[in-house]
Amino acid sequence: MRRRRTIEHWDPEDTAAWENGGAAVARRNLIWSVVAEHVGFSVWSLWSVMVLFMPSDVYGISTGDKFLIGAVATLTGALLRFPYTMATTRFGGRTWTVFSAAVLLIPVSATIVLLANPGQPLWAYLVCAALTGLGGGNFASSMTNINAFYPQRLKGWALGLNAGGGNLGVPAVQLLGLLVLAWAGAGEPYWVCAFYLVALVVAGIGAAVFMDDLDGPGVDVSAMRGALRDRNTWCVSLLYIGTFGSFIGFSFAFAQVLAIDFREGGQSASDAALHAASIAFVGPLLGSISRVYGGRLADRFGGAPVTLAVFVGMIAAAGLLVAGEGSLTVMTVAFIVLFVLSGMGNGSVYKIIPTVFPDRAASGAVIGIAGALGGLGGVGINLVLRQAYQSGDGGSPVWAFAVFAAFYAVAAVITWRAYVGAARGVPAEDVVAASGTMRS
């Protein structure tokens, strides 16, 4: 018999139903959600790789322009998370996943056309980068959908796995770019895009065959309005700016920072790009993997304590970037530490959300809002680095690293005041009441 595409009366907190088939249904949807989100993240990050294929003397794009391209892609990916958060409620998780995979065929195809015809005006690259931001919106719809499928006791693990698998799309596209650079050289980036045309088709078909729509309460405009009126939403969003904003911002910028250093060391543009690509993918890879473990640690110890520890570590790593100015080894190690910690923080911050907002619609709304505002942190990182490299004689990123460290310090204080300090000595099930003092 053909399986129904819409599930009615889904209640993951019903233990008996969960153990008698519910877990398998949730797992099947999680698997294909991860696949679709993974490909979406790769498309969103596509231009972090494509700029390495774009010598300035051929394409007429400066270093500052490349940071701007990354900022535009990050911006649209962040802003689109608002409507994408409500899309699964309106259209269903399965239906929206199929659509969101299919629509990404447009920017990937446009990227092929642009790179095959050098010399286009900057606005053409910016528009194409903005369209790849549709892949960033996939995160919000995917997370909201999986949040509805899993019970409270497993949300940290499920959301961490879903987000971590999606985040792996960043190092995946960078690693593929490295292989193409090493094999075909900087003149043939089309193989990267061609691969993702196929991957999008596979993700869309898999979602259509194996995923389900849920019929029930979800995230709508009223839930979004209610979440926006709650002070906790803004606190959690600021924390997510520090964690996910760092992850996605550095994912776009790290390879460029390395390439600049290699060029200043006397390497040609093509050699610098190849060496930068051979290192850059490691950071997002470890950050994506650590997100899963950040979620699991948060399930065990609580989202707030893990998040606080993460920000303390990020302050130290950013301080190391400032202190180690001029050392490529120190900079590389510090960036990789930042990737790992920001990945863990992504998982732990998202564990805070269903704890403070136990209602499914409310937590889904906050996941979307925090995801959108968190992505704006990546915009800030690229713009700050762009300004740093354009200022002074040749530019230096040191003062940008100091800005990052200061922000992490603010986030650590907020984490302590809003959640860790408020919940000290309070049982886990009463954290909601403890954090209620932060509600408007």
Side-chain angles (χ1 to χ4, degrees), residues 3 45 47 51 90 102 106 132 137 171 178 209 219 293 302 334 370 392 418 430:
R3 179 172 59 82
S45 308
W47 281 95
V51 293
R90 176 66 178 83
I106 297 172
T132 62
L178 168 63
V209 174
V219 180
Y293 290 98
D430 294 333

Side-chain angles (χ1 to χ4, degrees), residues 8 63 65-66 105 116 133 140 144 211 243 278 294 299 301 331 384:
E8 299 177 351
T63 297
D65 293 336
K66 292 179 180 180
L105 295 170
T144 303
M211 291 186 71
T243 56
S278 67
D299 279 339
F301 299 106
M331 183 183 71
V384 169

